[in-house]
Amino acid sequence: MQPSDSPIPTLPLDPWCIRETGFDTASHFLRETLFALGNGYIGLRGTGEEGYSGAAGTSLDGTYLNGFYESEPIVYPEAAHALAKTNQFMLNVPNAKGIALTIDGERFDPLAGKLDRYERTLDFRTGVLVRVLEWTSQSGKRIALRSRRVVTFTNKHLFAIEFEVTALNFSGQVVLRSFIDGAVKNQEAGDDPRVGSAVSGPALQTISNEQQGSFAALVQRTHNSGFTLVSAIDSSVEGMSPSAWREGEQAGQVFTCEAVQGQPVCLTKFGAYYSSRDYPEGELLARAQDTLATAKAAGFEALCTAQAAYLADFWASADVEIAGDDALQQGIRFNQYHLLQSVGRDGRTNIAAKGVTGEGYEGHYFWDTEIYIFPFFLYSKPEIARKLLEYRYAGLEQARERARQMSHPTGALYPWRTIAGGECSAYFPAGTAQYHINADIAYSIKSYYEATADLDYMAQAGLEIVLETARIWLGIGSYDRQGRFCINEVTGPDEYTALVNNNYYTNAMARMHLHFAADMVDTIREERPGDFARITGATGLEAGEVDAWRQAAGLMHLPYDATLGIHEQDDSFLAKKVWDFANTPKENYPLLLNYHPMVIYRHQVCKQADVVLALLLLSSEFTLHDKRRDFDYYEAVTTHDSSLSSCIFSIIASEVGYHDKAYDYFMETARLDLDDTHGNTHYGVHTAAMAGTWMGVAYGFGGMRVSHGELRFAPTLPTQWQHYRFQVQLRGATLAVRVSGDGTEYTLVQGEALDFNHFGQAVALTRAAPQARIPLEAQA
Ligand code: BGC
């Protein structure tokens, strides 16, 4: 399935919504992703309830549940010990939003007859997808249709649709069929490893098709993962009783109405999904029935009100304001909104690379969460960040098992990609070999602890993860003849270089990790002796291990090339030939789709930020000169074929004073999905890049860093903007930062007091003196 080759026009600029005003099959596939709704669990692509004729090839009418998956054995023609054995992939589940409309025997289809008006809007403040259209049938009957759809943030199992039809130039029969379609399947991946799963055919087996008045449900089971799923709907039209309808794996209700010209007929539909991943199988149907009955009693409007209230609260703490650039303002809010729609917040699910908007990367969770997405939630909605950490704790036992498979007698190794905790990467050079995942998780725990001072969390779960994952570095590292601690045969973040010795990023992050683990062992031993005894009992931590961590960290080999004055990406990177960029045609990018991996690995060429990412995460370990030289060198050999790259280059460009570059890289990230700059948004949004936009503002232009618990800012204002404003939650306080041509204004919005640093100058805000204005001339 491929989208159209012709360029798709950008959507009109609006700071708080996306809107399209024409129905076009060429842009449909992409727009289904952009207009997708989600609540961290249910994801509904933005396809119309009625679908359209000949949709194959221009539409993927997907419905997803975060964390609900089927598993399949990974088949390797050549086996090897401890390769990942089972893949998990997010399933396309029954489409419960379907509504077929027939007027006097003619089926409403946007491609048959004539669309006189069409508008689809997704407003980030209401969280409701609205379509308004007027259509003339082939025989000349005109109708107006207004549909509203909401996937509720306050109940993860629920969505609702209001579908209102008005006969404009006739009175006659209007038939509304509201249904669930269980005959769905996932998309096949083909040659692009980023697209979907390798499985063809339906993965859900229908067990029963339930019907009772306005209620209908499909009960289905997955073959291999052994889950039961209930997809249920309740449909009503005021004053009418429906007749039951079923056909194959479809179930629903039919309403046959005598419509009077000018008088709307309104179908209200509530939908619910419950699976045995969350509840015992025997409870699923009753829970679905209950949810639907409660929603119906409250009514569609009440759900919309609750949705708007939830979003008002979200925007109050998360909004980033940019004055002077409408395209950017729309891009950044769109990104934040989609992050909220995508993130799992029940402690058992996480955030997939494509959220719940598409099947790209099979619904897997990666390091994208900890390094890219976590900061946005940590500083905007810390309670969600905490849930992401809980997810990792839930997977600790499986990470221990994985470590044993990988011949580590102690410790835990987290999977490179997974849904339920098992390693799912079938290509180990760019998968399991990315051992840095362990340090990435430790880094997020460290950031959480620094931002919240939540020692309870560290004692209950944080230390155990950090300690178990730290042990792996001693397991895979060793001292060389010069006494340096080396970590061999790993892959760093840059997936165009694989299986190398001493990847700079990995070693530097491992050093941070080992120090942090050792320090936290000391802290918990002193502050929480009871917890400490439990943790040492559970992990078998031995005397001497912590000293060994400190020693390895102190002697960590961090490759540096004195001639070039740069940090070397790994021991062999600089010895390789530089990729021939001048003679690589534009259409050969991304390289991964056009060259065998070995051809790429043999060259100095980066898919994404690697050393440059270390410059951000471990900021205080580098001088500004180091940063500039590393940036210059690696920029010249980086393709940014990964959507995770540009935001990091933007941040470091800001820091080293390359303001134009900072802006350009930022623009590439901020509207990556809205403008489909990577050409694959139809398969789902890019959640890491979306969060990279927030980092680009706060860390990049705002110059924010938190290190050793100290908060710093070094703001600059892009010449294109009048002002920008963002907020940060730290240790119970909320700080608003507003940067304009006049200088920087810091406001303590909530909390008792907050100390921080502005270009080296100490600033202390309190309830009594909650604001500081620092004029531009006082900056740097
Ligand atoms: C990137 C990885 C990333 C993955 C999922 C790949 O293209 O190279 O760093 O984790 O996409 O977003």
Side-chain angles (χ1 to χ4, degrees):
M1 200 183 296
Q2 282 302 320
S4 134
D5 283 341
S6 52
I8 292 169
T10 50
L11 298 170
L13 298 183
D14 188 301
W16 281 107
C17 71
I18 51 169
R19 172 177 295 123
E20 70 175 358
T21 49
F23 181 89
D24 180 6
T25 52
S27 58
H28 199 271
F29 202 173
L30 166 67
R31 302 268 171 85
E32 279 174 339
T33 300
L34 304 182
F35 287 93
L37 290 186
N39 62 3
Y41 179 60
I42 300 175
L44 306 181
R45 282 173 64 85
T47 328
E49 289 76 15
E50 67 288 339
Y52 57 92
S53 52
T58 61
S59 169
L60 169 64
D61 194 359
T63 307
Y64 309 102
L65 302 177
N66 189 3
F68 185 75
Y69 67 92
E70 172 60 316
S71 50
E72 272 275 318
I74 304 175
V75 180
Y76 299 95
E78 285 184 50
H81 181 72
L83 294 180
K85 286 202 164 35
T86 311
N87 188 30
Q88 299 162 347
F89 61 96
M90 183 170 78
L91 272 178
N92 186 8
V93 298
N95 174 4
K97 64 182 186 299
I99 300 174
L101 164 66
T102 311
I103 52 169
D104 280 339
E106 286 179 285
R107 170 92 184 250
F108 164 56
D109 175 351
L111 291 188
K114 187 167 163 282
L115 268 182
D116 304 308
R117 178 182 173 204
Y118 174 91
E119 201 175 283
R120 174 162 63 168
T121 310
L122 173 56
D123 188 309
F124 315 141
R125 283 169 302 190
T126 60
V128 180
L129 178 69
V130 182
R131 283 192 312 149
V132 179
L133 59 89
E134 284 175 21
W135 179 75
T136 308
S137 76
Q138 273 158 330
S139 73
K141 301 215 165 75
R142 289 186 61 227
I143 56 159
L145 173 69
R146 177 171 179 259
S147 84
R148 295 195 289 158
R149 185 188 299 173
V150 60
V151 178
T152 63
F153 284 119
T154 45
N155 181 346
K156 76 168 196 175
H157 299 284
L158 180 68
F159 76 89
I161 295 171
E162 192 190 68
F163 196 85
E164 189 186 84
V165 190
T166 310
L168 295 178
N169 64 349
F170 69 104
S171 292
Q173 195 182 63
V174 166
V175 180
L176 288 156
R177 177 163 51 84
S178 167
F179 62 96
I180 320 169
D181 181 3
V184 286
K185 61 186 188 97
N186 278 61
Q187 193 177 14
E188 285 171 54
D191 287 341
D192 188 339
R194 302 165 303 174
V195 173
S197 67
V199 171
S200 56
L204 286 160
Q205 187 195 345
T206 302
I207 307 297
S208 68
N209 188 324
E210 311 279 330
Q211 228 137 13
Q212 213 183 314
S214 58
F215 177 82
L218 290 178
V219 182
Q220 293 173 309
R221 197 162 290 150
T222 58
H223 291 278
N224 303 324
S225 53
F227 295 128
T228 301
L229 173 69
V230 166
S231 315
I233 54 171
D234 182 289
S235 322
S236 52
V237 173
E238 211 183 305
M240 295 207 59
S241 26
S243 32
W245 181 83
R246 78 169 63 181
E247 199 178 284
E249 285 176 281
Q250 297 193 348
Q253 298 88 20
V254 179
F255 298 87
T256 306
C257 322
E258 287 311 317
V260 178
Q261 185 174 344
Q263 287 182 19
V265 175
C266 184
L267 170 77
T268 309
K269 172 173 193 172
F270 299 94
Y273 293 95
Y274 276 89
S275 96
S276 59
R277 254 212 102 183
D278 287 329
Y279 299 102
E281 193 178 321
E283 293 178 14
L284 302 177
L285 254 180
R287 281 186 181 272
Q289 247 159 340
D290 225 52
T291 296
L292 295 178
T294 312
K296 193 174 180 176
F300 186 83
E301 233 29 85
L303 298 185
C304 293
T305 308
Q307 187 83 343
Y310 184 94
L311 284 167
D313 177 63
F314 171 71
W315 290 117
S317 57
D319 189 31
V320 173
E321 202 179 280
I322 292 178
D325 194 326
D326 294 347
L328 215 45
Q329 179 67 83
Q330 182 184 41
I332 192 159
R333 289 205 177 114
F334 172 80
N335 291 347
Q336 291 177 287
Y337 180 73
H338 262 282
L339 286 168
L340 183 69
Q341 292 205 124
S342 303
V343 68
R345 32 195 175 275
D346 55 15
R348 289 186 309 280
T349 55
N350 205 275
I351 179 163
K354 308 283 179 186
V356 278
T357 62
E359 294 165 29
Y361 286 122
E362 301 170 274
H364 288 165
Y365 315 136
F366 293 78
W367 72 312
D368 304 32
T369 299
E370 278 76 19
I371 296 302
Y372 287 80
I373 299 162
F374 189 78
F376 167 64
F377 286 110
L378 176 62
Y379 298 117
S380 309
K381 277 259 157 217
E383 61 278 18
I384 293 182
R386 169 72 189 251
K387 290 288 171 193
L388 293 172
L389 294 182
E390 281 176 25
Y391 166 84
R392 289 299 188 184
Y393 188 62
L396 183 56
E397 205 39 55
Q398 288 178 80
R400 287 184 175 118
E401 278 166 31
R402 182 64 183 151
R404 301 304 160 267
Q405 289 165 13
M406 295 298 292
S407 310
H408 306 304
T410 60
L413 175 63
Y414 275 92
W416 175 245
R417 51 193 289 176
T418 187
I419 293 180
E423 175 64 274
C424 295
S425 65
Y427 180 61
F428 75 87
T432 298
Q434 298 202 46
Y435 267 64
H436 65 85
I437 181 76
N438 265 13
D440 303 330
I441 292 170
Y443 187 86
S444 69
I445 293 174
K446 182 167 178 276
S447 312
Y448 175 80
Y449 180 56
E450 289 185 347
T452 60
D454 187 351
L455 197 62
D456 288 344
Y457 167 74
M458 290 309 298
Q460 284 153 19
L463 175 61
E464 204 176 325
I465 299 178
V466 168
L467 174 171
E468 286 285 64
T469 46
R471 284 172 144 176
I472 298 296
W473 301 122
L474 275 285
I476 62 167
S478 55
Y479 290 92
D480 68 3
R481 281 181 298 171
Q482 286 112 300
R484 301 174 306 185
F485 189 77
C486 296
I487 297 176
N488 296 327
E489 217 58 26
V490 295
T491 298
D494 165 31
E495 292 188 351
Y496 281 175
T497 308
L499 300 175
V500 292
N501 296 341
N502 297 307
N503 166 253
Y504 186 92
Y505 175 93
T506 306
N507 287 21
M509 290 289 281
R511 181 170 72 161
M512 167 283 303
H513 185 177
L514 290 166
H515 278 309
F516 178 56
D519 293 348
M520 281 321 300
V521 164
D522 290 349
T523 307
I524 300 293
R525 186 195 288 119
E526 247 166 61
E527 306 277 333
R528 303 289 165 91
D531 286 309
F532 187 70
R534 177 182 48 78
I535 294 166
T536 46
T539 59
L541 184 72
E542 286 179 6
E545 272 192 79
V546 175
D547 290 341
W549 297 346
R550 285 213 163 94
Q551 189 187 23
L555 294 169
M556 186 69 72
H557 175 35
L558 295 168
Y560 184 78
D561 186 280
T563 320
L564 293 172
I566 61 163
H567 297 95
E568 209 175 336
Q569 187 168 301
D570 59 71
D571 280 354
S572 59
F573 189 79
L574 296 176
K576 293 176 184 170
K577 187 171 153 192
V578 173
W579 185 269
D580 185 2
F581 295 100
N583 292 307
T584 304
K586 229 172 127 222
E587 60 275 14
N588 282 10
Y589 293 94
L591 301 181
L592 68 101
L593 295 186
N594 295 288
Y595 301 90
H596 188 282
M598 295 235 297
V599 175
I600 301 175
Y601 298 165
R602 226 171 261 139
H603 289 89
Q604 279 191 55
V605 57
C606 303
K607 184 181 180 189
Q608 60 204 103
D610 192 300
V611 168
V612 175
L613 180 57
L615 303 179
L616 168 66
L617 301 183
L618 305 169
S619 184
S620 59
E621 296 178 12
F622 305 90
T623 67
L624 204 59
H625 288 297
D626 283 339
K627 288 179 182 169
R628 193 169 292 140
R629 279 194 303 263
D630 283 347
F631 181 95
D632 289 344
Y633 191 86
Y634 289 104
E635 187 193 26
V637 293
T638 303
T639 60
H640 309 290
D641 281 351
S642 161
S643 65
L644 278 65
S645 195
S646 298
C647 55
I648 307 302
F649 275 79
S650 169
I651 295 166
I652 301 301
S654 263
E655 187 171 6
V656 302
Y658 296 159
H659 298 299
D660 291 346
K661 284 189 177 187
Y663 190 77
D664 293 345
Y665 280 122
F666 181 72
M667 283 303 277
E668 273 175 39
T669 303
R671 291 187 55 94
L672 191 141
D673 284 311
L674 272 182
D675 294 343
D676 193 21
T677 56
H678 278 237
N680 61 2
T681 293
H682 49 285
Y683 295 132
V685 297
H686 298 75
T687 53
M690 289 180 145
T693 320
W694 182 88
M695 290 201 284
V697 174
Y699 294 174
F701 303 115
M704 171 182 156
R705 299 285 183 276
V706 181
S707 116
H708 308 295
E710 192 195 89
L711 176 64
R712 292 184 280 132
F713 295 97
T716 53
L717 179 70
T719 49
Q720 294 86 341
W721 302 352
Q722 282 133 30
H723 77 253
Y724 63 99
R725 181 183 184 274
F726 62 97
Q727 296 193 92
V728 177
Q729 301 207 17
L730 198 84
R731 282 179 241 116
T734 306
L735 177 73
V737 182
R738 187 180 188 280
V739 184
S740 71
D742 299 333
T744 308
E745 188 180 281
Y746 295 100
T747 311
L748 185 66
V749 181
Q750 231 175 48
E752 288 313 305
L754 193 69
D755 294 349
F756 54 92
N757 184 297
H758 170 98
F759 282 108
Q761 172 190 343
V763 183
L765 300 182
T766 59
R767 267 291 97 234
Q771 205 164 56
R773 282 200 188 87
I774 304 177
L776 208 55
E777 51 276 20
Q779 284 181 188

Tab-separated table of all heavy atoms in Angstrom, residues 194 353 361 366-368 416 434 493 495 592 607-608 641-644 688, ligand 1:
chain	number	residue	atom	x	y	z
A	194	ARG	N	10.538	-0.556	8.417
A	194	ARG	CA	9.898	0.364	9.356
A	194	ARG	C	8.378	0.308	9.292
A	194	ARG	O	7.694	0.957	10.069
A	194	ARG	CB	10.352	1.802	9.047
A	194	ARG	CG	11.844	1.983	9.104
A	194	ARG	CD	12.275	3.281	8.463
A	194	ARG	NE	11.832	3.371	7.073
A	194	ARG	CZ	11.979	4.450	6.307
A	194	ARG	NH1	12.540	5.521	6.803
A	194	ARG	NH2	11.557	4.448	5.058
A	353	ALA	N	6.697	3.838	19.045
A	353	ALA	CA	7.377	4.761	18.140
A	353	ALA	C	6.372	5.538	17.283
A	353	ALA	O	6.627	6.679	16.912
A	353	ALA	CB	8.357	3.999	17.256
A	361	TYR	N	6.723	0.178	12.791
A	361	TYR	CA	7.508	-0.375	13.906
A	361	TYR	C	6.660	-1.245	14.833
A	361	TYR	O	6.988	-1.451	16.009
A	361	TYR	CB	8.210	0.724	14.702
A	361	TYR	CG	9.406	1.315	13.985
A	361	TYR	CD1	9.479	2.671	13.703
A	361	TYR	CD2	10.463	0.506	13.600
A	361	TYR	CE1	10.576	3.211	13.041
A	361	TYR	CE2	11.567	1.037	12.945
A	361	TYR	CZ	11.615	2.388	12.669
A	361	TYR	OH	12.704	2.912	12.026
A	366	PHE	N	10.692	1.629	22.247
A	366	PHE	CA	12.152	1.688	22.087
A	366	PHE	C	12.743	2.609	23.159
A	366	PHE	O	12.026	3.157	23.995
A	366	PHE	CB	12.516	2.288	20.736
A	366	PHE	CG	12.148	1.475	19.517
A	366	PHE	CD1	10.842	1.436	19.043
A	366	PHE	CD2	13.120	0.772	18.814
A	366	PHE	CE1	10.523	0.713	17.903
A	366	PHE	CE2	12.798	0.047	17.683
A	366	PHE	CZ	11.494	0.014	17.224
A	367	TRP	N	14.050	2.901	23.015
A	367	TRP	CA	14.705	3.907	23.862
A	367	TRP	C	14.125	5.298	23.602
A	367	TRP	O	14.352	6.219	24.371
A	367	TRP	CB	16.213	3.925	23.588
A	367	TRP	CG	16.583	4.540	22.240
A	367	TRP	CD1	16.023	4.259	21.029
A	367	TRP	CD2	17.570	5.546	22.000
A	367	TRP	NE1	16.609	5.012	20.034
A	367	TRP	CE2	17.559	5.813	20.601
A	367	TRP	CE3	18.451	6.241	22.802
A	367	TRP	CZ2	18.421	6.752	20.012
A	367	TRP	CZ3	19.301	7.171	22.200
A	367	TRP	CH2	19.272	7.419	20.827
A	368	ASP	N	13.363	5.424	22.514
A	368	ASP	CA	12.695	6.693	22.188
A	368	ASP	C	11.992	7.236	23.431
A	368	ASP	O	11.954	8.437	23.678
A	368	ASP	CB	11.625	6.485	21.093
A	368	ASP	CG	12.155	5.844	19.826
A	368	ASP	OD1	13.095	5.038	19.928
A	368	ASP	OD2	11.631	6.135	18.739
A	416	TRP	N	15.694	-4.201	23.322
A	416	TRP	CA	15.797	-3.033	22.452
A	416	TRP	C	14.421	-2.598	21.962
A	416	TRP	O	14.099	-1.428	21.929
A	416	TRP	CB	16.733	-3.317	21.269
A	416	TRP	CG	16.739	-2.161	20.300
A	416	TRP	CD1	16.305	-2.161	19.025
A	416	TRP	CD2	17.174	-0.822	20.581
A	416	TRP	NE1	16.432	-0.907	18.470
A	416	TRP	CE2	16.971	-0.062	19.419
A	416	TRP	CE3	17.718	-0.188	21.692
A	416	TRP	CZ2	17.284	1.289	19.332
A	416	TRP	CZ3	18.023	1.161	21.610
A	416	TRP	CH2	17.813	1.885	20.439
A	434	GLN	N	22.299	-2.854	20.899
A	434	GLN	CA	22.205	-1.489	21.451
A	434	GLN	C	22.037	-1.575	22.976
A	434	GLN	O	21.000	-1.196	23.540
A	434	GLN	CB	21.077	-0.704	20.785
A	434	GLN	CG	21.315	-0.534	19.280
A	434	GLN	CD	20.562	0.621	18.660
A	434	GLN	OE1	20.547	1.724	19.201
A	434	GLN	NE2	19.943	0.384	17.516
A	493	PRO	N	23.735	4.639	19.371
A	493	PRO	CA	22.481	5.134	18.800
A	493	PRO	C	22.481	5.179	17.269
A	493	PRO	O	21.444	4.947	16.637
A	493	PRO	CB	22.377	6.546	19.368
A	493	PRO	CG	23.140	6.503	20.643
A	493	PRO	CD	24.277	5.551	20.396
A	495	GLU	N	22.500	3.964	13.935
A	495	GLU	CA	22.284	2.627	13.373
A	495	GLU	C	22.958	2.436	12.015
A	495	GLU	O	22.764	1.409	11.368
A	495	GLU	CB	20.786	2.338	13.281
A	495	GLU	CG	20.154	2.205	14.656
A	495	GLU	CD	18.713	1.731	14.611
A	495	GLU	OE1	18.121	1.651	13.520
A	495	GLU	OE2	18.176	1.441	15.706
A	592	LEU	N	19.298	3.291	4.216
A	592	LEU	CA	18.925	1.940	4.647
A	592	LEU	C	18.023	1.225	3.654
A	592	LEU	O	17.941	0.005	3.639
A	592	LEU	CB	18.260	1.976	6.040
A	592	LEU	CG	16.884	2.620	6.186
A	592	LEU	CD1	15.785	1.575	6.250
A	592	LEU	CD2	16.840	3.472	7.417
A	607	LYS	N	23.368	7.783	10.714
A	607	LYS	CA	21.933	7.914	10.481
A	607	LYS	C	21.369	9.016	11.385
A	607	LYS	O	20.382	9.665	11.073
A	607	LYS	CB	21.286	6.576	10.827
A	607	LYS	CG	19.814	6.452	10.576
A	607	LYS	CD	19.349	5.056	11.020
A	607	LYS	CE	17.873	4.855	10.799
A	607	LYS	NZ	17.390	3.606	11.412
A	608	GLN	N	22.007	9.200	12.560
A	608	GLN	CA	21.420	10.075	13.580
A	608	GLN	C	22.480	10.507	14.580
A	608	GLN	O	23.590	9.979	14.592
A	608	GLN	CB	20.314	9.312	14.296
A	608	GLN	CG	20.815	8.051	14.995
A	608	GLN	CD	19.713	7.026	15.197
A	608	GLN	OE1	19.656	6.048	14.468
A	608	GLN	NE2	18.840	7.265	16.171
A	641	ASP	N	18.760	10.450	8.485
A	641	ASP	CA	17.747	9.514	7.958
A	641	ASP	C	16.794	9.063	9.058
A	641	ASP	O	15.693	8.591	8.774
A	641	ASP	CB	18.423	8.289	7.329
A	641	ASP	CG	18.958	8.599	5.931
A	641	ASP	OD1	18.661	9.686	5.405
A	641	ASP	OD2	19.681	7.755	5.362
A	642	SER	N	17.231	9.157	10.292
A	642	SER	CA	16.316	8.874	11.408
A	642	SER	C	15.660	10.178	11.840
A	642	SER	O	16.317	11.216	11.960
A	642	SER	CB	17.082	8.269	12.584
A	642	SER	OG	16.308	8.408	13.767
A	643	SER	N	14.371	10.077	12.151
A	643	SER	CA	13.636	11.277	12.592
A	643	SER	C	14.066	11.702	14.000
A	643	SER	O	13.618	12.720	14.502
A	643	SER	CB	12.136	11.000	12.555
A	643	SER	OG	11.834	9.988	13.499
A	644	LEU	N	14.935	10.909	14.633
A	644	LEU	CA	15.383	11.248	15.985
A	644	LEU	C	16.589	12.184	15.974
A	644	LEU	O	17.137	12.510	17.027
A	644	LEU	CB	15.775	9.976	16.763
A	644	LEU	CG	14.656	9.167	17.413
A	644	LEU	CD1	13.733	8.564	16.378
A	644	LEU	CD2	15.222	8.053	18.290
A	688	ALA	N	8.975	10.190	18.896
A	688	ALA	CA	10.237	10.698	19.462
A	688	ALA	C	10.533	12.092	18.916
A	688	ALA	O	10.920	13.007	19.651
A	688	ALA	CB	11.378	9.746	19.162
B	1	BGC	C1	16.136	4.789	14.876
B	1	BGC	C2	16.141	4.293	16.299
B	1	BGC	C3	14.736	4.396	16.866
B	1	BGC	C4	13.741	3.672	15.986
B	1	BGC	C5	12.317	3.843	16.448
B	1	BGC	C6	15.100	4.024	14.077
B	1	BGC	O1	15.032	4.535	12.787
B	1	BGC	O2	17.396	4.620	14.271
B	1	BGC	O3	17.035	5.059	17.060
B	1	BGC	O4	14.706	3.871	18.141
B	1	BGC	O5	13.828	4.200	14.688
B	1	BGC	O6	11.922	5.160	16.427
